[in-house]
Each structure stands twice: as C-alpha cells, then as structure tokens.
Amino acid sequence: MRKIIVSTFLTLDGVMQAPGGPDEDTESGFAHGGWQKPTSDDEVGEAIGGWYEDTDALLLGRKTYDIFASYWPTADPDNPFTERMNSMHKYVASRTLTSVDWQNSTLLEGDTAEAVRRLKATEGRNINVVGSGDLAQTLMRNDLVDEYRLTIHPVIIGTGKRLFADGAIPTALEPVSVTATKGGTVLAVYRTTGRPTYDSYQ
C-alpha cells in the first residue's frame, strides 16, 4: 500500500496559502503571498529534498498543478529539483480540467477519494501532496492521509487558508521527527494513527 503524504509550508498560525509569491493565490483578497522565502534557509531546502527521496509521484489539485506546470518545464536545468519534478509522475484531481499537458501527468477520473484509494493500492513508492489545500481537505475528511511533512515558519499573518481548518477531522499523530533549523523553522514529520484518545488530570 502506497502512502499519501501531505507536504506543505505553514506559517506559525497554520496558514498555507500562497507561500511562493505575491500573485500565487490572491483568493479572498489574500495580501500576504510570498511569506515563505524570507523565513526560509538552506536547512529547509535540504530537508525538503530528503522528503522526496522515498517519493515517486505527486498528487496535486488544479491550482497547484497550474502553478507547477507553468514553472517547472522551463525552470533552471541546473536546479536539481527541475529534473525530479518534471520526470516524476503527477496525478491531478480537478473538476474543471479536461486534460493535463505537463509531462508524466494523469488526470484522475471520477470521485477523488475513490480514485486516490485506487491509487494507494497500486505498486510504487510514496505519493506527495504538495500545496493543494482543497485537495488536502478532501483527503483528510476521507482518512486518506498517512503522514504529514510540514515546515512551520516563524511568521504569523493572521488570515488565509489553513491546512487544519475549522471542521478538520480529529486525528491522533505519532511524531516521526521534529527538529528546528538555525533560522527557527520547525521541520515536523507526523504519522497518522487514527482517532485521538481523551483523558483527564483529575
């Protein structure tokens, strides 16, 4: 069984919207796009590179697919991530796209949750969900996320789309590794273990 891993940048207050640039996602008047780079450092990049070592596919929502497909095919070939992103298989969940042109991309058909369950049962390595906030919500609601790999950056912006939004399904997590970079970014990997348990100190 392949694992579905949600890998994303977060602010300290849990916002995942538009880390990469001012115009990346301005939905709902979001004015804080591009918050991630000023808070990043080399250790963050090294960690993210390592997180891809056990991955051979991406699972993307439409907006993230569009952003990636417009950037990576013509990205700097000397960037080691360029070849990896272009050669890796991409599975795209979308209600509006009728085709996907980025090399090695496949448009999922039918119900997203069912399509991802089928995908998890295929042969292969781990599948990374990058960005794709709406898709991540669907996967979480259907208990399809096996692991979270999060970079939690030292910035608070107060508004925007959050990974763990209101209505998130209560989930117990087992820490796999949690470290901090010299710049103060927390690199956190958590494995899902089912529903939380509850107790009292009384």
PDB file of all heavy atoms in Angstrom, residues 42-75:
ATOM      1  N   ASP A  42      18.848  27.348   4.145  1.00  0.00           N
ATOM      2  CA  ASP A  42      19.362  26.180   3.429  1.00  0.00           C
ATOM      3  C   ASP A  42      18.906  24.869   4.059  1.00  0.00           C
ATOM      4  O   ASP A  42      18.696  23.873   3.352  1.00  0.00           O
ATOM      5  CB  ASP A  42      20.895  26.217   3.391  1.00  0.00           C
ATOM      6  CG  ASP A  42      21.424  27.321   2.487  1.00  0.00           C
ATOM      7  OD1 ASP A  42      20.640  27.830   1.660  1.00  0.00           O
ATOM      8  OD2 ASP A  42      22.614  27.678   2.625  1.00  0.00           O
ATOM      9  N   GLU A  43      18.754  24.858   5.370  1.00  0.00           N
ATOM     10  CA  GLU A  43      18.341  23.630   6.042  1.00  0.00           C
ATOM     11  C   GLU A  43      16.931  23.213   5.624  1.00  0.00           C
ATOM     12  O   GLU A  43      16.629  22.018   5.543  1.00  0.00           O
ATOM     13  CB  GLU A  43      18.400  23.806   7.554  1.00  0.00           C
ATOM     14  CG  GLU A  43      19.808  23.931   8.111  1.00  0.00           C
ATOM     15  CD  GLU A  43      19.793  24.231   9.597  1.00  0.00           C
ATOM     16  OE1 GLU A  43      19.701  23.271  10.385  1.00  0.00           O
ATOM     17  OE2 GLU A  43      19.854  25.424   9.962  1.00  0.00           O
ATOM     18  N   VAL A  44      16.069  24.192   5.373  1.00  0.00           N
ATOM     19  CA  VAL A  44      14.727  23.880   4.906  1.00  0.00           C
ATOM     20  C   VAL A  44      14.799  23.185   3.545  1.00  0.00           C
ATOM     21  O   VAL A  44      14.159  22.149   3.311  1.00  0.00           O
ATOM     22  CB  VAL A  44      13.860  25.151   4.813  1.00  0.00           C
ATOM     23  CG1 VAL A  44      12.519  24.842   4.154  1.00  0.00           C
ATOM     24  CG2 VAL A  44      13.637  25.744   6.201  1.00  0.00           C
ATOM     25  N   GLY A  45      15.594  23.754   2.634  1.00  0.00           N
ATOM     26  CA  GLY A  45      15.736  23.148   1.310  1.00  0.00           C
ATOM     27  C   GLY A  45      16.294  21.742   1.363  1.00  0.00           C
ATOM     28  O   GLY A  45      15.828  20.846   0.645  1.00  0.00           O
ATOM     29  N   GLU A  46      17.288  21.528   2.222  1.00  0.00           N
ATOM     30  CA  GLU A  46      17.870  20.192   2.356  1.00  0.00           C
ATOM     31  C   GLU A  46      16.849  19.195   2.887  1.00  0.00           C
ATOM     32  O   GLU A  46      16.786  18.044   2.427  1.00  0.00           O
ATOM     33  CB  GLU A  46      19.078  20.255   3.286  1.00  0.00           C
ATOM     34  CG  GLU A  46      20.263  21.006   2.702  1.00  0.00           C
ATOM     35  CD  GLU A  46      21.355  21.247   3.713  1.00  0.00           C
ATOM     36  OE1 GLU A  46      21.228  20.730   4.855  1.00  0.00           O
ATOM     37  OE2 GLU A  46      22.329  21.961   3.396  1.00  0.00           O
ATOM     38  N   ALA A  47      16.043  19.617   3.860  1.00  0.00           N
ATOM     39  CA  ALA A  47      15.033  18.729   4.425  1.00  0.00           C
ATOM     40  C   ALA A  47      13.994  18.351   3.377  1.00  0.00           C
ATOM     41  O   ALA A  47      13.621  17.176   3.257  1.00  0.00           O
ATOM     42  CB  ALA A  47      14.361  19.385   5.619  1.00  0.00           C
ATOM     43  N   ILE A  48      13.540  19.332   2.616  1.00  0.00           N
ATOM     44  CA  ILE A  48      12.530  19.060   1.596  1.00  0.00           C
ATOM     45  C   ILE A  48      13.090  18.102   0.550  1.00  0.00           C
ATOM     46  O   ILE A  48      12.411  17.168   0.109  1.00  0.00           O
ATOM     47  CB  ILE A  48      12.047  20.369   0.967  1.00  0.00           C
ATOM     48  CG1 ILE A  48      11.274  21.191   1.998  1.00  0.00           C
ATOM     49  CG2 ILE A  48      11.162  20.085  -0.245  1.00  0.00           C
ATOM     50  CD1 ILE A  48      10.962  22.589   1.552  1.00  0.00           C
ATOM     51  N   GLY A  49      14.352  18.312   0.153  1.00  0.00           N
ATOM     52  CA  GLY A  49      14.967  17.378  -0.786  1.00  0.00           C
ATOM     53  C   GLY A  49      14.973  15.964  -0.248  1.00  0.00           C
ATOM     54  O   GLY A  49      14.671  15.007  -0.975  1.00  0.00           O
ATOM     55  N   GLY A  50      15.265  15.815   1.026  1.00  0.00           N
ATOM     56  CA  GLY A  50      15.257  14.492   1.631  1.00  0.00           C
ATOM     57  C   GLY A  50      13.881  13.867   1.673  1.00  0.00           C
ATOM     58  O   GLY A  50      13.734  12.649   1.544  1.00  0.00           O
ATOM     59  N   TRP A  51      12.857  14.704   1.850  1.00  0.00           N
ATOM     60  CA  TRP A  51      11.490  14.195   1.906  1.00  0.00           C
ATOM     61  C   TRP A  51      11.038  13.607   0.575  1.00  0.00           C
ATOM     62  O   TRP A  51      10.080  12.839   0.525  1.00  0.00           O
ATOM     63  CB  TRP A  51      10.529  15.300   2.337  1.00  0.00           C
ATOM     64  CG  TRP A  51      10.686  15.712   3.770  1.00  0.00           C
ATOM     65  CD1 TRP A  51      11.431  15.090   4.725  1.00  0.00           C
ATOM     66  CD2 TRP A  51      10.089  16.843   4.417  1.00  0.00           C
ATOM     67  NE1 TRP A  51      11.339  15.754   5.927  1.00  0.00           N
ATOM     68  CE2 TRP A  51      10.521  16.833   5.773  1.00  0.00           C
ATOM     69  CE3 TRP A  51       9.223  17.855   3.988  1.00  0.00           C
ATOM     70  CZ2 TRP A  51      10.121  17.802   6.690  1.00  0.00           C
ATOM     71  CZ3 TRP A  51       8.828  18.820   4.904  1.00  0.00           C
ATOM     72  CH2 TRP A  51       9.270  18.793   6.229  1.00  0.00           C
ATOM     73  N   TYR A  52      11.721  13.950  -0.508  1.00  0.00           N
ATOM     74  CA  TYR A  52      11.354  13.421  -1.820  1.00  0.00           C
ATOM     75  C   TYR A  52      12.083  12.121  -2.162  1.00  0.00           C
ATOM     76  O   TYR A  52      11.770  11.491  -3.167  1.00  0.00           O
ATOM     77  CB  TYR A  52      11.636  14.463  -2.903  1.00  0.00           C
ATOM     78  CG  TYR A  52      10.535  15.477  -3.085  1.00  0.00           C
ATOM     79  CD1 TYR A  52      10.416  16.558  -2.227  1.00  0.00           C
ATOM     80  CD2 TYR A  52       9.613  15.354  -4.117  1.00  0.00           C
ATOM     81  CE1 TYR A  52       9.409  17.492  -2.379  1.00  0.00           C
ATOM     82  CE2 TYR A  52       8.602  16.283  -4.283  1.00  0.00           C
ATOM     83  CZ  TYR A  52       8.508  17.353  -3.409  1.00  0.00           C
ATOM     84  OH  TYR A  52       7.489  18.270  -3.569  1.00  0.00           O
ATOM     85  N   GLU A  53      13.037  11.726  -1.336  1.00  0.00           N
ATOM     86  CA  GLU A  53      13.831  10.554  -1.668  1.00  0.00           C
ATOM     87  C   GLU A  53      13.004   9.272  -1.715  1.00  0.00           C
ATOM     88  O   GLU A  53      13.329   8.338  -2.445  1.00  0.00           O
ATOM     89  CB  GLU A  53      14.994  10.402  -0.679  1.00  0.00           C
ATOM     90  CG  GLU A  53      16.054  11.487  -0.788  1.00  0.00           C
ATOM     91  CD  GLU A  53      16.668  11.560  -2.177  1.00  0.00           C
ATOM     92  OE1 GLU A  53      16.905  10.498  -2.791  1.00  0.00           O
ATOM     93  OE2 GLU A  53      16.913  12.696  -2.642  1.00  0.00           O
ATOM     94  N   ASP A  54      11.950   9.206  -0.892  1.00  0.00           N
ATOM     95  CA  ASP A  54      11.129   7.994  -0.870  1.00  0.00           C
ATOM     96  C   ASP A  54       9.816   8.194  -1.625  1.00  0.00           C
ATOM     97  O   ASP A  54       8.836   7.485  -1.402  1.00  0.00           O
ATOM     98  CB  ASP A  54      10.847   7.556   0.571  1.00  0.00           C
ATOM     99  CG  ASP A  54      10.168   8.641   1.404  1.00  0.00           C
ATOM    100  OD1 ASP A  54       9.899   9.733   0.859  1.00  0.00           O
ATOM    101  OD2 ASP A  54       9.916   8.405   2.601  1.00  0.00           O
ATOM    102  N   THR A  55       9.797   9.154  -2.546  1.00  0.00           N
ATOM    103  CA  THR A  55       8.578   9.523  -3.278  1.00  0.00           C
ATOM    104  C   THR A  55       8.794   9.340  -4.775  1.00  0.00           C
ATOM    105  O   THR A  55       9.859   9.687  -5.294  1.00  0.00           O
ATOM    106  CB  THR A  55       8.225  11.001  -2.994  1.00  0.00           C
ATOM    107  OG1 THR A  55       7.952  11.156  -1.604  1.00  0.00           O
ATOM    108  CG2 THR A  55       7.025  11.444  -3.804  1.00  0.00           C
ATOM    109  N   ASP A  56       7.802   8.810  -5.476  1.00  0.00           N
ATOM    110  CA  ASP A  56       7.926   8.727  -6.924  1.00  0.00           C
ATOM    111  C   ASP A  56       6.731   9.333  -7.661  1.00  0.00           C
ATOM    112  O   ASP A  56       6.602   9.179  -8.879  1.00  0.00           O
ATOM    113  CB  ASP A  56       8.161   7.286  -7.390  1.00  0.00           C
ATOM    114  CG  ASP A  56       6.996   6.350  -7.102  1.00  0.00           C
ATOM    115  OD1 ASP A  56       5.945   6.812  -6.604  1.00  0.00           O
ATOM    116  OD2 ASP A  56       7.131   5.138  -7.373  1.00  0.00           O
ATOM    117  N   ALA A  57       5.855  10.049  -6.927  1.00  0.00           N
ATOM    118  CA  ALA A  57       4.698  10.660  -7.582  1.00  0.00           C
ATOM    119  C   ALA A  57       4.193  11.839  -6.765  1.00  0.00           C
ATOM    120  O   ALA A  57       4.396  11.901  -5.544  1.00  0.00           O
ATOM    121  CB  ALA A  57       3.574   9.643  -7.775  1.00  0.00           C
ATOM    122  N   LEU A  58       3.539  12.762  -7.460  1.00  0.00           N
ATOM    123  CA  LEU A  58       2.871  13.890  -6.821  1.00  0.00           C
ATOM    124  C   LEU A  58       1.371  13.759  -7.034  1.00  0.00           C
ATOM    125  O   LEU A  58       0.920  13.275  -8.087  1.00  0.00           O
ATOM    126  CB  LEU A  58       3.328  15.217  -7.436  1.00  0.00           C
ATOM    127  CG  LEU A  58       4.798  15.594  -7.303  1.00  0.00           C
ATOM    128  CD1 LEU A  58       5.063  16.904  -8.058  1.00  0.00           C
ATOM    129  CD2 LEU A  58       5.187  15.735  -5.846  1.00  0.00           C
ATOM    130  N   LEU A  59       0.606  14.195  -6.053  1.00  0.00           N
ATOM    131  CA  LEU A  59      -0.848  14.274  -6.153  1.00  0.00           C
ATOM    132  C   LEU A  59      -1.204  15.741  -5.964  1.00  0.00           C
ATOM    133  O   LEU A  59      -0.921  16.316  -4.906  1.00  0.00           O
ATOM    134  CB  LEU A  59      -1.502  13.397  -5.090  1.00  0.00           C
ATOM    135  CG  LEU A  59      -3.030  13.401  -4.995  1.00  0.00           C
ATOM    136  CD1 LEU A  59      -3.672  13.003  -6.321  1.00  0.00           C
ATOM    137  CD2 LEU A  59      -3.485  12.466  -3.878  1.00  0.00           C
ATOM    138  N   LEU A  60      -1.801  16.359  -6.980  1.00  0.00           N
ATOM    139  CA  LEU A  60      -1.988  17.805  -6.992  1.00  0.00           C
ATOM    140  C   LEU A  60      -3.427  18.185  -7.286  1.00  0.00           C
ATOM    141  O   LEU A  60      -4.108  17.519  -8.068  1.00  0.00           O
ATOM    142  CB  LEU A  60      -1.094  18.443  -8.076  1.00  0.00           C
ATOM    143  CG  LEU A  60       0.404  18.136  -8.011  1.00  0.00           C
ATOM    144  CD1 LEU A  60       1.094  18.669  -9.257  1.00  0.00           C
ATOM    145  CD2 LEU A  60       1.021  18.716  -6.750  1.00  0.00           C
ATOM    146  N   GLY A  61      -3.868  19.286  -6.664  1.00  0.00           N
ATOM    147  CA  GLY A  61      -5.119  19.908  -7.054  1.00  0.00           C
ATOM    148  C   GLY A  61      -4.900  20.800  -8.261  1.00  0.00           C
ATOM    149  O   GLY A  61      -3.765  21.041  -8.679  1.00  0.00           O
ATOM    150  N   ARG A  62      -5.972  21.333  -8.821  1.00  0.00           N
ATOM    151  CA  ARG A  62      -5.858  22.094 -10.070  1.00  0.00           C
ATOM    152  C   ARG A  62      -4.980  23.324  -9.930  1.00  0.00           C
ATOM    153  O   ARG A  62      -4.122  23.592 -10.781  1.00  0.00           O
ATOM    154  CB  ARG A  62      -7.243  22.525 -10.573  1.00  0.00           C
ATOM    155  CG  ARG A  62      -7.171  23.312 -11.893  1.00  0.00           C
ATOM    156  CD  ARG A  62      -8.489  23.949 -12.239  1.00  0.00           C
ATOM    157  NE  ARG A  62      -8.937  24.899 -11.233  1.00  0.00           N
ATOM    158  CZ  ARG A  62      -8.478  26.147 -11.129  1.00  0.00           C
ATOM    159  NH1 ARG A  62      -7.532  26.585 -11.945  1.00  0.00           N
ATOM    160  NH2 ARG A  62      -8.954  26.953 -10.199  1.00  0.00           N
ATOM    161  N   LYS A  63      -5.178  24.120  -8.865  1.00  0.00           N
ATOM    162  CA  LYS A  63      -4.426  25.371  -8.744  1.00  0.00           C
ATOM    163  C   LYS A  63      -2.930  25.107  -8.623  1.00  0.00           C
ATOM    164  O   LYS A  63      -2.116  25.765  -9.278  1.00  0.00           O
ATOM    165  CB  LYS A  63      -4.926  26.174  -7.540  1.00  0.00           C
ATOM    166  CG  LYS A  63      -6.320  26.739  -7.712  1.00  0.00           C
ATOM    167  CD  LYS A  63      -6.771  27.498  -6.459  1.00  0.00           C
ATOM    168  CE  LYS A  63      -8.186  28.007  -6.612  1.00  0.00           C
ATOM    169  NZ  LYS A  63      -8.666  28.692  -5.380  1.00  0.00           N
ATOM    170  N   THR A  64      -2.559  24.152  -7.786  1.00  0.00           N
ATOM    171  CA  THR A  64      -1.135  23.851  -7.637  1.00  0.00           C
ATOM    172  C   THR A  64      -0.582  23.249  -8.914  1.00  0.00           C
ATOM    173  O   THR A  64       0.545  23.566  -9.326  1.00  0.00           O
ATOM    174  CB  THR A  64      -0.908  22.906  -6.450  1.00  0.00           C
ATOM    175  OG1 THR A  64      -1.427  23.520  -5.263  1.00  0.00           O
ATOM    176  CG2 THR A  64       0.567  22.614  -6.253  1.00  0.00           C
ATOM    177  N   TYR A  65      -1.367  22.405  -9.573  1.00  0.00           N
ATOM    178  CA  TYR A  65      -0.929  21.860 -10.864  1.00  0.00           C
ATOM    179  C   TYR A  65      -0.647  22.983 -11.853  1.00  0.00           C
ATOM    180  O   TYR A  65       0.399  22.992 -12.534  1.00  0.00           O
ATOM    181  CB  TYR A  65      -1.972  20.906 -11.443  1.00  0.00           C
ATOM    182  CG  TYR A  65      -1.658  20.520 -12.870  1.00  0.00           C
ATOM    183  CD1 TYR A  65      -0.721  19.533 -13.155  1.00  0.00           C
ATOM    184  CD2 TYR A  65      -2.261  21.185 -13.941  1.00  0.00           C
ATOM    185  CE1 TYR A  65      -0.395  19.209 -14.467  1.00  0.00           C
ATOM    186  CE2 TYR A  65      -1.943  20.864 -15.249  1.00  0.00           C
ATOM    187  CZ  TYR A  65      -1.014  19.880 -15.508  1.00  0.00           C
ATOM    188  OH  TYR A  65      -0.684  19.581 -16.801  1.00  0.00           O
ATOM    189  N   ASP A  66      -1.551  23.945 -11.956  1.00  0.00           N
ATOM    190  CA  ASP A  66      -1.361  25.055 -12.899  1.00  0.00           C
ATOM    191  C   ASP A  66      -0.089  25.838 -12.585  1.00  0.00           C
ATOM    192  O   ASP A  66       0.658  26.224 -13.488  1.00  0.00           O
ATOM    193  CB  ASP A  66      -2.567  25.996 -12.864  1.00  0.00           C
ATOM    194  CG  ASP A  66      -3.792  25.418 -13.566  1.00  0.00           C
ATOM    195  OD1 ASP A  66      -3.638  24.441 -14.322  1.00  0.00           O
ATOM    196  OD2 ASP A  66      -4.897  25.951 -13.349  1.00  0.00           O
ATOM    197  N   ILE A  67       0.149  26.097 -11.290  1.00  0.00           N
ATOM    198  CA  ILE A  67       1.354  26.834 -10.893  1.00  0.00           C
ATOM    199  C   ILE A  67       2.606  26.048 -11.270  1.00  0.00           C
ATOM    200  O   ILE A  67       3.548  26.583 -11.875  1.00  0.00           O
ATOM    201  CB  ILE A  67       1.322  27.126  -9.383  1.00  0.00           C
ATOM    202  CG1 ILE A  67       0.214  28.132  -9.053  1.00  0.00           C
ATOM    203  CG2 ILE A  67       2.678  27.665  -8.912  1.00  0.00           C
ATOM    204  CD1 ILE A  67      -0.078  28.260  -7.567  1.00  0.00           C
ATOM    205  N   PHE A  68       2.625  24.768 -10.924  1.00  0.00           N
ATOM    206  CA  PHE A  68       3.801  23.945 -11.195  1.00  0.00           C
ATOM    207  C   PHE A  68       4.022  23.756 -12.697  1.00  0.00           C
ATOM    208  O   PHE A  68       5.152  23.811 -13.185  1.00  0.00           O
ATOM    209  CB  PHE A  68       3.655  22.576 -10.525  1.00  0.00           C
ATOM    210  CG  PHE A  68       3.917  22.586  -9.044  1.00  0.00           C
ATOM    211  CD1 PHE A  68       4.042  23.758  -8.322  1.00  0.00           C
ATOM    212  CD2 PHE A  68       4.030  21.386  -8.343  1.00  0.00           C
ATOM    213  CE1 PHE A  68       4.280  23.768  -6.954  1.00  0.00           C
ATOM    214  CE2 PHE A  68       4.282  21.371  -6.983  1.00  0.00           C
ATOM    215  CZ  PHE A  68       4.409  22.558  -6.285  1.00  0.00           C
ATOM    216  N   ALA A  69       2.922  23.497 -13.429  1.00  0.00           N
ATOM    217  CA  ALA A  69       3.031  23.223 -14.862  1.00  0.00           C
ATOM    218  C   ALA A  69       3.483  24.445 -15.654  1.00  0.00           C
ATOM    219  O   ALA A  69       4.023  24.316 -16.755  1.00  0.00           O
ATOM    220  CB  ALA A  69       1.701  22.719 -15.407  1.00  0.00           C
ATOM    221  N   SER A  70       3.268  25.634 -15.101  1.00  0.00           N
ATOM    222  CA  SER A  70       3.723  26.850 -15.780  1.00  0.00           C
ATOM    223  C   SER A  70       5.171  27.186 -15.420  1.00  0.00           C
ATOM    224  O   SER A  70       5.794  28.030 -16.077  1.00  0.00           O
ATOM    225  CB  SER A  70       2.817  28.030 -15.419  1.00  0.00           C
ATOM    226  OG  SER A  70       2.952  28.388 -14.047  1.00  0.00           O
ATOM    227  N   TYR A  71       5.708  26.540 -14.385  1.00  0.00           N
ATOM    228  CA  TYR A  71       7.055  26.875 -13.921  1.00  0.00           C
ATOM    229  C   TYR A  71       8.096  25.797 -14.240  1.00  0.00           C
ATOM    230  O   TYR A  71       9.127  26.078 -14.874  1.00  0.00           O
ATOM    231  CB  TYR A  71       7.029  27.135 -12.412  1.00  0.00           C
ATOM    232  CG  TYR A  71       8.402  27.383 -11.833  1.00  0.00           C
ATOM    233  CD1 TYR A  71       9.025  28.612 -12.006  1.00  0.00           C
ATOM    234  CD2 TYR A  71       9.093  26.373 -11.149  1.00  0.00           C
ATOM    235  CE1 TYR A  71      10.301  28.847 -11.495  1.00  0.00           C
ATOM    236  CE2 TYR A  71      10.367  26.600 -10.640  1.00  0.00           C
ATOM    237  CZ  TYR A  71      10.964  27.829 -10.817  1.00  0.00           C
ATOM    238  OH  TYR A  71      12.226  28.047 -10.325  1.00  0.00           O
ATOM    239  N   TRP A  72       7.853  24.569 -13.826  1.00  0.00           N
ATOM    240  CA  TRP A  72       8.894  23.558 -13.868  1.00  0.00           C
ATOM    241  C   TRP A  72       9.355  23.144 -15.266  1.00  0.00           C
ATOM    242  O   TRP A  72      10.563  22.873 -15.455  1.00  0.00           O
ATOM    243  CB  TRP A  72       8.478  22.325 -13.065  1.00  0.00           C
ATOM    244  CG  TRP A  72       8.522  22.566 -11.586  1.00  0.00           C
ATOM    245  CD1 TRP A  72       7.467  22.669 -10.727  1.00  0.00           C
ATOM    246  CD2 TRP A  72       9.689  22.769 -10.779  1.00  0.00           C
ATOM    247  NE1 TRP A  72       7.892  22.935  -9.444  1.00  0.00           N
ATOM    248  CE2 TRP A  72       9.253  22.998  -9.449  1.00  0.00           C
ATOM    249  CE3 TRP A  72      11.063  22.788 -11.051  1.00  0.00           C
ATOM    250  CZ2 TRP A  72      10.152  23.225  -8.407  1.00  0.00           C
ATOM    251  CZ3 TRP A  72      11.943  23.021 -10.016  1.00  0.00           C
ATOM    252  CH2 TRP A  72      11.481  23.233  -8.711  1.00  0.00           C
ATOM    253  N   PRO A  73       8.500  23.066 -16.279  1.00  0.00           N
ATOM    254  CA  PRO A  73       9.004  22.659 -17.599  1.00  0.00           C
ATOM    255  C   PRO A  73      10.086  23.574 -18.161  1.00  0.00           C
ATOM    256  O   PRO A  73      10.909  23.137 -18.973  1.00  0.00           O
ATOM    257  CB  PRO A  73       7.742  22.679 -18.468  1.00  0.00           C
ATOM    258  CG  PRO A  73       6.635  22.402 -17.511  1.00  0.00           C
ATOM    259  CD  PRO A  73       7.027  23.144 -16.263  1.00  0.00           C
ATOM    260  N   THR A  74      10.113  24.848 -17.746  1.00  0.00           N
ATOM    261  CA  THR A  74      11.127  25.782 -18.242  1.00  0.00           C
ATOM    262  C   THR A  74      12.040  26.281 -17.125  1.00  0.00           C
ATOM    263  O   THR A  74      12.734  27.281 -17.293  1.00  0.00           O
ATOM    264  CB  THR A  74      10.452  26.984 -18.930  1.00  0.00           C
ATOM    265  OG1 THR A  74       9.562  27.634 -18.001  1.00  0.00           O
ATOM    266  CG2 THR A  74       9.659  26.531 -20.148  1.00  0.00           C
ATOM    267  N   ALA A  75      12.031  25.610 -15.989  1.00  0.00           N
ATOM    268  CA  ALA A  75      12.852  26.020 -14.857  1.00  0.00           C
ATOM    269  C   ALA A  75      14.329  25.757 -15.134  1.00  0.00           C
ATOM    270  O   ALA A  75      14.700  24.999 -16.041  1.00  0.00           O
ATOM    271  CB  ALA A  75      12.412  25.285 -13.599  1.00  0.00           C
TER     272      ALA A  75
END
